[in-house]
Amino acid sequence: MEILVDSNVILDIITEDQRWLTWSSEMLALYGEDHTLVINPIIYAEVSIGFERIEEVEEILSPAYFRRDALPWEAAFLAGKCFLNYRRQGGGKHSTLPDFFIGAHAVVAGMPLLTRDLARYRTYFPRLKLIAPNGKD
């Protein structure tokens, strides 16, 4: 089975986040054993922000560990519609559109999403299978 890995899970490990490091590390280790871990260009871009050189990012997001999938056009459409719904409900403009691309990609590709951002994905992608802390899926 394939699992799309949200950037926040990867960033927890890179930044050694005190709250989430253990959970994120354990989940990547657990699912990495017998599943294909997938990232897309949006996730790659979000993770890359903290690095000066592409070689550093390539080491962290090695194709030997993460399969790299393109973002499907259908996912871009769905992301735009979900983001519009978010804005109509009073959501702010800043830094949320990437999450909609990630959630839409997982939905369109039929992959579960490994994330710790349960609320937003559950709200805007109610049928998306989530692997999250205290998630029921």
Side-chain angles (χ1 to χ4, degrees):
M1 177 168 64
E2 303 163 329
I3 298 173
L4 190 64
V5 180
D6 199 354
S7 53
N8 58 36
V9 173
I10 299 166
L11 289 169
D12 288 343
I13 296 165
I14 293 168
T15 64
E16 299 181 359
D17 184 275
Q18 288 185 345
R19 181 172 180 194
W20 294 109
L21 174 62
T22 300
W23 183 86
S24 294
S25 298
E26 288 174 356
M27 293 298 103
L28 280 181
L30 174 69
Y31 289 103
E33 285 183 20
D34 57 1
H35 295 77
T36 301
L37 301 178
V38 180
I39 60 170
N40 64 29
I42 306 298
I43 296 162
Y44 187 100
E46 287 187 319
V47 171
S48 75
I49 291 170
F51 295 92
E52 292 294 321
R53 300 175 58 240
I54 193 169
E55 292 83 4
E56 296 169 308
V57 181
E58 287 293 312
E59 186 177 330
I60 297 293
L61 299 177
S62 170
Y65 196 69
F66 294 101
R67 189 180 80 201
R68 298 171 180 195
D69 284 5
L71 187 69
W73 291 103
E74 295 86 356
F77 180 82
L78 178 58
K81 294 302 174 194
C82 290
F83 183 70
L84 179 61
N85 187 28
Y86 165 80
R87 293 285 293 137
R88 286 182 175 158
Q89 293 178 7
K93 288 186 199 178
H94 55 287
S95 75
T96 57
L97 188 55
D99 291 338
F100 288 98
F101 278 112
I102 293 166
H105 183 181
V107 168
V108 167
M111 288 186 274
L113 177 64
L114 176 60
T115 185
R116 59 176 170 75
D117 188 3
L118 188 63
R120 178 174 294 140
Y121 290 117
R122 187 73 28 90
T123 300
Y124 292 97
F125 302 98
R127 293 187 181 150
L128 175 59
K129 180 172 172 46
L130 297 171
I131 301 168
N134 302 316
K136 302 295 181 200
D137 293 346

